[in-house]
Amino acid sequence: MDILETDAYDRRQRRNMSCSLLFSLLPFFLSAALYFYLLTPDAPSSIMAAGVKSAPTLLLAAVVLSWNGGRSVLGVVGGLVFSAIGDWCLVWPELFLHGMGAFAVAHLFYSLTFLSSRFLPESSSSCNRFLYLILFLTGGGFYIYLYPFLRKAPDAELLVPGVGAYVFLITLMGALAIRTRHTAVLMGSLIFMVSDVSLALQVFKAIPPAENGQLVVMVTYYLAQLLIAVGDVRATRNKEDFSKWKRS
């Protein structure tokens, strides 16, 4: 097989993979559409509401597990499962700290994934280090801005250190996503940060109530999770294809 034939074969394989992956994501899209169809800001907290909210994330976990296998359990699959637990908890305001803890664990799982061999970059660069600095300064600045509002919250003694640790973990995840140089996971991680910033500003009343505030949070959240999941599947498949090419 010459170079042109090999290139055509690779393009055909990538196209087939994209179609298969899109098909496997249909349950996620349908469940997310159901959530937005049923979304009402003043709806009472209930087990049904929690189930509908967490279903898209669990379905994404099932997709990643079906493509990448059990090795992803301590990676993106684990992160998605703990994110679904966080989704469930945040339906009830009194479980906010539990939800934040679940998402903190999810960010740890994502960070471990971005440090794995399939995302390992060939080299680092001064540009990356500059972006790390910008990201951590932004995260620190956001926490400083949020601090007075955290002090006014009922559980301030827990929220002040808890939110600080959470901001560090999600910022670390974003920095490690930059390190991967993988567009999908980088965009997913940064959009996740945008979603969390929007949620925090609303929960801690740092901005006036917005009519579509919850919609903004959930659209960016589901998009972020989708990009991270797809990025992990593609990175794993590219790593496997490269390993096969080296052995041939």
Side-chain angles (χ1 to χ4, degrees):
M1 186 179 291
D2 59 26
I3 295 176
L4 291 177
E5 290 175 336
T6 301
D7 185 58
Y9 174 79
D10 289 341
R11 286 201 304 270
R12 188 163 58 250
Q13 288 293 98
R14 286 194 294 270
R15 186 167 58 249
N16 291 341
M17 176 196 166
S18 297
C19 291
S20 299
L21 182 56
L22 180 61
F23 181 77
S24 65
L25 287 168
L26 285 178
F28 162 77
F29 289 121
L30 292 173
S31 62
L34 177 63
Y35 171 79
F36 289 117
Y37 177 75
L38 297 175
L39 178 64
T40 51
D42 299 324
S45 302
S46 66
I47 292 177
M48 178 177 291
V52 172
K53 185 180 181 183
S54 58
T57 315
L58 286 175
L59 289 169
L60 270 182
V63 170
V64 178
L65 186 63
S66 68
W67 279 83
N68 292 355
R71 60 190 160 181
S72 58
V73 170
L74 295 179
V76 167
V77 169
L80 288 167
V81 170
F82 272 93
S83 294
I85 295 172
D87 291 334
W88 185 283
C89 291
L90 292 183
V91 169
W92 291 273
E94 62 270 22
L95 295 181
F96 179 83
L97 281 169
H98 299 78
M100 186 174 68
F103 277 112
V105 175
H107 296 320
L108 283 173
F109 275 117
Y110 290 151
S111 297
L112 289 173
T113 300
F114 300 157
L115 284 170
S116 65
S117 60
R118 62 181 174 277
F119 283 111
L120 192 64
E122 294 181 1
S123 61
S124 185
S125 68
S126 57
C127 179
N128 278 8
R129 289 189 286 272
F130 175 73
L131 291 175
Y132 300 155
L133 178 62
I134 293 296
L135 196 62
F136 276 100
L137 286 175
T138 302
F142 174 71
Y143 178 71
I144 291 171
Y145 172 78
L146 204 61
Y147 181 81
F149 300 96
L150 295 174
R151 294 284 296 173
K152 298 175 185 177
D155 296 325
E157 67 281 359
L158 294 175
L159 283 171
V160 169
V163 171
Y166 184 87
V167 169
F168 172 78
L169 288 174
I170 194 171
T171 305
L172 176 64
M173 182 194 71
L176 292 175
I178 293 173
R179 177 179 176 272
T180 67
R181 301 183 186 179
H182 195 289
T183 303
V185 298
L186 173 57
M187 292 301 297
S189 299
L190 294 180
I191 293 172
F192 208 138
M193 296 178 72
V194 170
S195 179
D196 275 1
V197 165
S198 178
L199 176 63
L201 291 174
Q202 295 176 59
V203 168
F204 300 116
K205 298 178 174 56
I207 58 173
E211 182 179 353
N212 296 316
Q214 188 178 359
L215 180 64
V216 172
V217 170
M218 295 308 297
V219 167
T220 51
Y221 169 69
Y222 285 141
L223 177 59
Q225 297 283 34
L226 174 65
L227 288 170
I228 291 172
V230 170
D232 188 51
V233 170
R234 288 189 174 277
T236 302
R237 189 52 54 95
N238 290 340
K239 183 73 175 179
E240 290 174 350
D241 290 345
F242 180 72
S243 299
K244 292 177 183 176
W245 178 79
K246 285 184 68 177
R247 290 196 298 268
S248 62

